[in-house]
Short mmCIF file of all heavy atoms in Angstrom, two decimals:
data_model
loop_
_atom_site.label_atom_id
_atom_site.label_comp_id
_atom_site.label_asym_id
_atom_site.label_seq_id
_atom_site.Cartn_x
_atom_site.Cartn_y
_atom_site.Cartn_z
N GLN A 23 4.16 9.01 9.08
CA GLN A 23 4.99 9.57 10.15
C GLN A 23 5.50 10.98 9.83
O GLN A 23 5.54 11.80 10.69
CB GLN A 23 6.24 8.65 10.36
CG GLN A 23 5.89 7.32 10.99
CD GLN A 23 7.03 6.29 10.87
OE1 GLN A 23 8.09 6.60 10.39
NE2 GLN A 23 6.70 5.10 11.25
N ILE A 69 -0.75 9.98 -5.04
CA ILE A 69 0.57 9.37 -5.02
C ILE A 69 0.44 7.98 -5.68
O ILE A 69 -0.36 7.17 -5.20
CB ILE A 69 1.09 9.13 -3.56
CG1 ILE A 69 0.80 10.34 -2.64
CG2 ILE A 69 2.56 8.73 -3.52
CD1 ILE A 69 1.40 11.63 -3.00
N SER A 121 9.44 -0.65 -19.68
CA SER A 121 8.75 0.61 -19.97
C SER A 121 9.65 1.63 -20.74
O SER A 121 10.85 1.64 -20.54
CB SER A 121 8.18 1.22 -18.69
OG SER A 121 9.27 1.64 -17.92
N ASN A 148 2.97 -11.89 -6.08
CA ASN A 148 1.87 -12.71 -5.64
C ASN A 148 2.13 -13.32 -4.26
O ASN A 148 1.26 -13.36 -3.41
CB ASN A 148 1.61 -13.83 -6.66
CG ASN A 148 0.81 -13.32 -7.88
OD1 ASN A 148 0.18 -12.27 -7.77
ND2 ASN A 148 0.91 -14.04 -8.94
N GLU A 151 1.69 -10.61 -1.60
CA GLU A 151 0.28 -10.33 -1.41
C GLU A 151 -0.37 -11.40 -0.50
O GLU A 151 -1.15 -11.04 0.35
CB GLU A 151 -0.48 -10.41 -2.73
CG GLU A 151 -0.39 -9.12 -3.57
CD GLU A 151 -1.02 -7.89 -2.97
OE1 GLU A 151 -2.16 -7.96 -2.49
OE2 GLU A 151 -0.33 -6.87 -2.92
N LYS A 157 9.13 -18.24 4.60
CA LYS A 157 10.33 -17.40 4.39
C LYS A 157 11.34 -18.15 3.47
O LYS A 157 11.94 -17.55 2.57
CB LYS A 157 10.96 -17.12 5.73
CG LYS A 157 12.11 -16.18 5.68
CD LYS A 157 12.67 -15.92 7.05
CE LYS A 157 14.07 -15.35 6.93
NZ LYS A 157 14.78 -15.31 8.19
N CYS A 178 25.40 -2.26 -5.50
CA CYS A 178 24.11 -1.77 -5.02
C CYS A 178 22.95 -2.45 -5.76
O CYS A 178 23.12 -2.86 -6.93
CB CYS A 178 23.96 -0.25 -5.03
SG CYS A 178 24.20 0.51 -6.58
N LYS A 194 18.25 -8.83 2.64
CA LYS A 194 19.50 -8.55 3.33
C LYS A 194 20.21 -9.85 3.73
O LYS A 194 21.42 -9.89 3.85
CB LYS A 194 19.21 -7.70 4.59
CG LYS A 194 19.07 -6.23 4.29
CD LYS A 194 18.93 -5.48 5.58
CE LYS A 194 18.58 -4.03 5.30
NZ LYS A 194 17.93 -3.40 6.42
N ILE A 197 21.91 -11.22 0.28
CA ILE A 197 23.04 -10.54 -0.33
C ILE A 197 24.14 -10.22 0.70
O ILE A 197 23.84 -10.04 1.89
CB ILE A 197 22.61 -9.23 -1.01
CG1 ILE A 197 21.96 -8.23 -0.04
CG2 ILE A 197 21.65 -9.48 -2.22
CD1 ILE A 197 21.63 -6.88 -0.63
N HIS A 200 27.97 -5.79 2.16
CA HIS A 200 28.52 -4.57 1.55
C HIS A 200 27.66 -4.04 0.40
O HIS A 200 27.85 -2.96 -0.12
CB HIS A 200 29.98 -4.82 1.02
CG HIS A 200 30.02 -5.68 -0.21
ND1 HIS A 200 29.97 -7.07 -0.11
CD2 HIS A 200 29.97 -5.37 -1.54
CE1 HIS A 200 30.00 -7.56 -1.33
NE2 HIS A 200 29.98 -6.60 -2.22
N LEU A 247 -0.09 -4.41 8.00
CA LEU A 247 -1.04 -3.32 8.39
C LEU A 247 -0.90 -2.90 9.82
O LEU A 247 -0.63 -3.72 10.70
CB LEU A 247 -2.45 -3.76 8.04
CG LEU A 247 -2.75 -4.18 6.60
CD1 LEU A 247 -4.14 -4.75 6.51
CD2 LEU A 247 -2.57 -3.02 5.67
N GLN A 249 -2.45 -0.83 13.32
CA GLN A 249 -3.69 -0.67 14.05
C GLN A 249 -4.44 0.59 13.58
O GLN A 249 -5.65 0.68 13.58
CB GLN A 249 -3.36 -0.46 15.57
CG GLN A 249 -2.78 -1.64 16.25
CD GLN A 249 -3.87 -2.66 16.61
OE1 GLN A 249 -5.05 -2.34 16.66
NE2 GLN A 249 -3.47 -3.92 16.86
#
Side-chain angles (χ1 to χ4, degrees):
Q23 288 164 6
I69 319 299
S121 68
N148 282 341
E151 279 294 312
K157 188 178 161 191
C178 59
K194 279 186 188 156
I197 59 173
H200 71 274
L247 302 173
Q249 293 282 341

